[in-house]
């Protein structure tokens, strides 16, 4: 990925996928382009629900900090890692610098 994801990046779930919430708050996502399923735990599920409409990474981080007891640096690092993973699987659209 040429542009790294940062706090100003806007993200939204891709249109070429379907998802379903499973037991215990987990989520399964089917990438319609490659037919591969991906899974998210309950925190990932919360993030997935938030990015059904465009959000900045900063908005996502601030929401998570308000809802979970987590260090801000750890939250930011792990959130960006998850978003980069979702982007590499073409499950989200990434718009650098809020574009």
């Amino acid at each position: 990925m040429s542009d790294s994801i940062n706090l100003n990046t806007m993200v939204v779930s891709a249109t070429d996928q379907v998802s379903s919430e499973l037991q215990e708050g987990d989520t399964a996502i089917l990438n319609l382009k490659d037919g591969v399923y991906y899974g998210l735990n309950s925190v990932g599920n919360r993030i997935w629900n938030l990015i059904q409409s465009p959000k900045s990474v900063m908005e996502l981080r601030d929401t998570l900090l308000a809802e979970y007891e987590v260090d801000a640096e750890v939250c930011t690092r792990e959130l960006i890692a998850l978003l980069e993973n979702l982007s590499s699987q073409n499950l989200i659209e990434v718009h650098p610098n809020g574009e």
Side-chain angles (χ1 to χ4, degrees):
M1 186 163 60
S2 60
D3 294 312
S4 64
I5 294 175
N6 61 55
L7 291 175
N8 296 317
T9 304
M10 295 293 292
V11 295
V12 65
S13 62
T15 57
D16 293 334
Q17 56 74 30
V18 291
S19 62
S20 179
E21 191 166 332
L22 306 173
Q23 296 179 37
E24 300 175 18
D26 294 349
T27 294
I29 306 165
L30 172 61
N31 184 328
L32 297 175
K33 288 183 179 179
D34 62 15
V36 176
Y37 279 96
Y38 300 90
L40 296 174
N41 65 18
S42 60
V43 176
N45 175 54
R46 178 65 178 128
I47 294 164
W48 185 253
N49 286 330
L50 289 168
I51 62 173
Q52 296 310 297
S53 61
K55 299 279 187 298
S56 73
V57 175
M58 187 178 306
E59 288 176 285
L60 295 171
R61 186 211 48 199
D62 291 349
T63 298
L64 295 172
L65 289 174
E67 294 179 3
Y68 299 93
E69 284 192 35
V70 60
D71 178 76
E73 287 183 32
V74 171
C75 181
T76 302
R77 182 176 59 245
E78 291 185 4
L79 173 60
I80 289 173
L82 173 63
L83 295 172
E84 287 176 343
N85 187 320
L86 292 172
S87 176
S88 73
Q89 303 303 324
N90 299 310
L91 296 173
I92 64 171
E93 296 175 12
V94 176
H95 304 280
N97 301 316
E99 297 173 4

